Amino acid sequence: LVALDPERAWSDLAEFHQLCALRDPARRPDALRQAVELYRGPFLSGFALPDCPEFEAWALQEQAALERAYLEALEALVEACAARGALAEAIAYAQRYLETDALAEKVYLRLIQLYARQGDRNAALRQFERCVTVLERELGVSPLPETRSAYEAVLRGGPGGPHLPAPLPPPEGTSLPSLDAPFVG
């Protein structure tokens, strides 16, 4: 076991976990902002112990858990900012989310909605086009009906686009069209 004494050393990882775990509704958005600013990419990126598969397995597990916490923090910030009308800030957090997970269709959908609420019809339409391109190139699938509906609502809504409500819930039980998908697991 190797550890740092928290009384003698500060750790960005420990701070990140503390900030993400804060549940006080009044302080949570500020804590999440601080947490996402601490995140600098994959855990121990570039560091490896090639002759130690146990370490590599552990590091991959930690990377996945930290990335998941980071994405959850970004998603919570998108919704908190959108709820208080800070659309530009919500859009910035959603774009950061896509920098890490470019296949997150629910985030493209949310961006379409946010841009439409902001009155930027062209940006909303570009997000849909980007979503279509990424999903087709990476997975060989088309956007979900909910995403297409949001796009069509923006098309019908004129320059300002519709004022879309809160985000749609994530789709349940979505499956790929065939077993020839380019990934496993």
Side-chain angles (χ1 to χ4, degrees), residues 1 6 16 22 42 50 54 62 75 84 100 105 134-135 141 145-146 149 152 155 165 175 183:
L1 176 68
F16 178 83
L22 186 65
E54 296 85 3
E62 287 298 308
E75 190 172 355
R84 72 178 210 289
T100 301
E105 186 174 351
V134 168
L135 293 177
V141 299
E146 296 91 334
S149 293
E152 290 168 359
L155 280 177
S175 62
F183 63 89

Side-chain angles (χ1 to χ4, degrees), residues 23 28 32 65 67-77 97:
R23 297 292 174 218
R28 184 153 168 79
L32 292 178
E67 183 177 286
R68 190 171 42 255
Y70 172 68
L71 294 175
E72 287 170 2
L74 286 173
E75 190 172 355
L77 284 169
Y97 190 112

